[in-house]
Amino acid sequence: QVQPVESGGGLMQAGGSLTLSCVVSKPDFSTNAVGWYRQDPGQQRELIATITAAGSMEIKDFVKGRFTVSRDNSKKMAYLKMVNLKPEDSAVYYCNAGDYRGGYFYPSRRWGQGTQVTVSS
C-alpha cells in the first residue's frame, strides 16, 4: 500500500501564502480523485478541497477564494495553494487519493503523516 507524502508546510504570518505538495506513488494515481484535509488537535479531520481525476475542483466555502487545488498526473502529485492565510488555518494538512462519486469524496484508508501549517497573527 502506498501512503501519500505531504510537504510544504511551515510557519507563516497572517496574510502569507503557501503551496502544499502531495505525492502518491501509485500506478493508477491519475484515476483517483485527491482530497485535501486538515486537522486541529482534538478535532476531527475535515475535508477542505477536492480535485477529481478529470481535474474538476470543489473547494469548501470556508476556504473558497483563498485555497485552490491542482494536480500533475505525470508526477503523481497534487497541490494545495493557500493565500491570505489566517491563524485559524493552522492545522496539520493531509492529502488522500480516493474516489469521487455522486458529489462526494470517499477517502482511501491510506493516510500520510501530514504537514504542519502554523499561521501567526
Side-chain angles (χ1 to χ4, degrees):
Q1 295 188 349
V2 179
Q3 291 181 312
V5 178
E6 302 92 347
S7 62
L11 175 62
M12 298 294 296
Q13 288 192 329
S17 301
L18 269 179
T19 298
L20 306 183
S21 300
C22 164
V23 58
V24 186
S25 299
K26 57 197 297 276
D28 58 345
F29 172 76
S30 64
T31 68
N32 288 124
V34 176
W36 281 95
Y37 291 73
R38 67 185 183 189
Q39 186 172 24
D40 285 326
Q43 302 294 319
Q44 284 193 333
R45 199 169 294 179
E46 63 177 353
L47 180 65
I48 54 176
T50 303
I51 183 164
T52 69
S56 298
M57 291 185 288
E58 182 175 299
I59 311 295
K60 295 299 185 182
D61 287 344
F62 53 87
V63 295
K64 190 172 290 185
R66 298 191 300 118
F67 289 15
T68 57
V69 293
S70 60
R71 64 190 297 162
D72 185 338
N73 289 335
S74 69
K75 297 180 180 179
K76 302 186 187 298
M77 293 191 71
Y79 306 93
L80 178 68
K81 182 177 180 180
M82 308 181 292
V83 301
N84 191 21
L85 284 164
K86 303 177 180 180
E88 52 264 41
D89 295 321
S90 297
V92 179
Y93 284 72
Y94 301 87
C95 71
N96 186 288
D99 296 310
Y100 189 84
R101 302 188 304 272
Y104 294 93
F105 179 75
Y106 294 88
S108 73
R109 291 177 293 178
R110 304 177 186 89
W111 294 94
Q113 297 299 309
T115 186
Q116 175 72 50
V117 173
T118 303
V119 184
S120 62
S121 58

